[in-house]
Amino acid sequence: MTQQLSHHNWAGELALRLAPVERTLLIRSRGRRSITGALGVPLLLLGVRGARSGLHRAVPLIHTEDEDGHLVLGSHGGRPKHPQWSYDLLCEPRATVTLDGITIPVHASLLTGRERDGRWPLVLDTWPPYETYTRRSGRELRMFLLRPDAHR
């Protein structure tokens, strides 16, 4: 049901407006609880450093587990511009992931070409509305692989 509703324009806007509440719940529960998580949507909390401000940002994101880590997409609810956090990761790929009470350092890699194409069906299995967001936004959604970073 949640996925079906997410194909509508208003649902993407609602998700963006809920992001501060989701962020607060995920921070306080250390990645254990969120509104959409309770509805079966797999969320993690991404910690990134702002490229311009240098300040730490916490961003709730839908994720897909991958054999190498976690996949996240910069859908921005289907808006035409890439989300700020994706730009931040391009500038500084070191980040953190908080999920199920654990925070781990990760290294983000932008996936393109065959690497991205090979994982696209996997992320659509997790969240089919990405197809709608791509069409609505008129851009290719940035896909990042967040690999655990054992060096930090």
Side-chain angles (χ1 to χ4, degrees):
M1 170 96 148
T2 306
Q3 291 179 7
Q4 292 169 339
L5 293 176
S6 294
H7 288 282
H8 298 282
N9 286 345
W10 60 265
E13 290 299 317
L14 178 62
L16 291 172
R17 293 185 195 286
L18 276 177
V21 176
E22 293 284 42
R23 180 179 11 266
T24 300
L25 287 171
L26 285 164
I27 289 170
R28 289 187 178 166
S29 70
R30 296 191 61 227
R32 290 185 182 106
R33 288 186 206 84
S34 67
I35 296 167
T36 51
L39 299 172
V41 180
L43 286 186
L44 59 71
L45 192 63
L46 177 69
V48 295
R49 182 174 307 281
R52 284 177 249 165
S53 68
L55 299 175
H56 177 80
R57 299 171 191 250
V59 185
L61 296 173
I62 296 171
H63 73 100
T64 300
E65 289 194 30
D66 180 82
E67 60 200 26
D68 298 322
H70 299 276
L71 298 167
V72 293
L73 271 76
S75 67
H76 210 205
R79 289 183 174 174
K81 293 186 178 181
H82 294 288
Q84 182 62 43
W85 65 262
S86 72
Y87 175 73
D88 296 338
L89 279 183
L90 291 174
C91 294
E92 174 52 70
R94 292 177 298 168
T96 61
V97 164
T98 302
L99 182 63
D100 297 329
I102 300 169
T103 299
I104 61 166
V106 295
H107 187 274
S109 301
L110 178 66
L111 300 182
T112 59
R114 287 184 182 189
E115 259 192 318
R116 184 186 190 285
D117 294 345
R119 287 179 166 107
W120 182 245
L122 184 61
V123 299
L124 286 181
D125 281 347
T126 300
W127 194 246
Y130 284 139
E131 195 79 69
T132 301
Y133 297 165
T134 298
R135 192 172 48 258
R136 187 184 311 149
S137 70
R139 61 182 169 83
E140 182 175 271
L141 308 180
R142 288 178 178 157
M143 182 187 299
F144 291 91
L145 174 59
L146 308 173
R147 286 187 177 101
D149 188 351
H151 297 84
R152 288 197 294 154

